[in-house]
Amino acid sequence: MTRVALVTGGTRGIGAAISKALHAKGYKVAANYAGNDEAAAAFTAETGIATFKWNVADYESSQAGIAEVEAALGPIDTVVANAGITRDAPFHKMTPEQWHQVIDTNLTGVFNTVHPIWPGMRERKFGRIIVISSINGQKGQFAQVHYAATNAGDLGIVKSLAQEGARAGITANAICPGYIATEMVMAVPEKVRDSIIAQIPTGRLGEPEEIARCVAFLAEEDAGFINGSTISANGGQFFV
């Protein structure tokens, strides 16, 4: 049986690695993206993975996009809620607009993504929900009050959904990546990057593919007894 997986923010960075890993495992993958049409087209051309455009911060857009995915590929069995943004600012300089942008995408976006799919998972008695959180949702971070709050909230979503979905064969788990060698991280000045690496016991940044392998494992049917868990993939930088 070929399963269908939706990966939000699935055409770039960690999301792209996740989409590719699930595709390689035989899933029909739908990679969601919010705005970069050129990157999405290039991603599909490279991988053959279908892309679907909508803003996870908007519930009606998410509903419509998910309906489009299911019409094209079939019922969604696996959801990887990966989409996220940053609008870094110290708290005393943070604007309500910055706060709401991050909350709406990183926290409400998980609700908007999972909620329309949840009834079908319950009916079919199977589902895998994997939320990509962050090390900064576990330990906090300067100038990221909103970002840390959303990622900590995502862990609460996972723990609650795990309890609600367990008897219906649905698992919900989270992955908290540390600092990963994505375009965003590699774009920071080298001195800043070196200072980050100095805090990581393994002495290097993580690779997107390492996070993708965690997702692929949690998505398996054999991972059904792992539920409500958080995998910290941060090179030993922070322990919970």
Side-chain angles (χ1 to χ4, degrees):
M1 177 181 179
T2 301
R3 300 248 180 231
V4 177
L6 168 64
V7 184
T8 64
T11 63
R12 301 173 68 188
I14 291 173
I18 293 168
S19 295
K20 291 175 184 178
L22 293 176
H23 182 65
K25 289 276 189 179
Y27 289 77
K28 293 181 182 178
V29 178
N32 153 267
Y33 71 104
N36 194 327
D37 294 324
E38 185 177 346
F43 178 78
T44 297
E46 175 197 350
T47 64
I49 296 171
T51 57
F52 298 81
K53 183 179 181 179
W54 74 82
N55 181 4
V56 299
D58 182 83
Y59 187 81
E60 291 184 357
S61 295
S62 297
Q63 272 189 312
I66 287 164
E68 184 182 353
V69 169
E70 294 198 321
L73 302 181
I76 295 169
D77 303 293
T78 301
V79 175
V80 185
N82 168 73
I85 63 171
T86 56
R87 297 289 185 268
D88 293 359
F91 189 61
H92 66 285
K93 294 183 178 180
M94 189 176 293
T95 66
E97 181 183 15
Q98 289 172 320
W99 171 267
H100 286 294
Q101 285 176 338
V102 173
I103 295 292
D104 290 350
T105 299
N106 298 10
L107 184 62
T108 305
V110 176
F111 172 85
N112 293 345
T113 299
V114 176
H115 190 258
I117 299 169
W118 186 258
M121 287 183 168
R122 293 183 71 232
E123 183 178 338
R124 294 187 298 275
K125 304 298 183 185
F126 180 85
R128 295 288 182 265
I129 295 162
I130 302 157
V131 179
I132 308 302
S133 181
S134 168
I135 185 175
N136 293 339
Q138 297 173 301
K139 72 177 186 63
Q141 181 62 285
F142 181 88
Q144 287 194 335
V145 167
H146 44 7
Y147 183 80
T150 59
N151 283 286
D154 289 342
L155 301 183
I157 289 174
V158 159
K159 291 172 184 177
S160 300
L161 288 180
Q163 296 177 62
E164 290 195 29
R167 290 190 180 276
I170 304 168
T171 65
N173 294 287
I175 299 169
C176 286
Y179 288 91
I180 307 299
T182 59
E183 288 181 24
M184 181 176 69
V185 172
M186 298 307 292
V188 304
E190 187 175 355
K191 286 185 178 180
V192 175
R193 212 162 56 242
D194 288 344
S195 70
I196 292 171
I197 293 171
Q199 301 173 45
I200 304 172
T202 52
R204 65 174 178 87
L205 299 172
E207 295 295 332
E209 291 76 16
E210 293 178 296
I211 307 304
R213 287 194 287 272
C214 293
V215 171
F217 166 68
L218 291 173
E220 291 286 348
E221 293 191 34
D222 289 345
F225 202 59
I226 302 170
N227 201 9
S229 297
T230 300
I231 294 178
S232 297
N234 60 40
Q237 185 178 357
F238 184 78
F239 302 104
V240 178

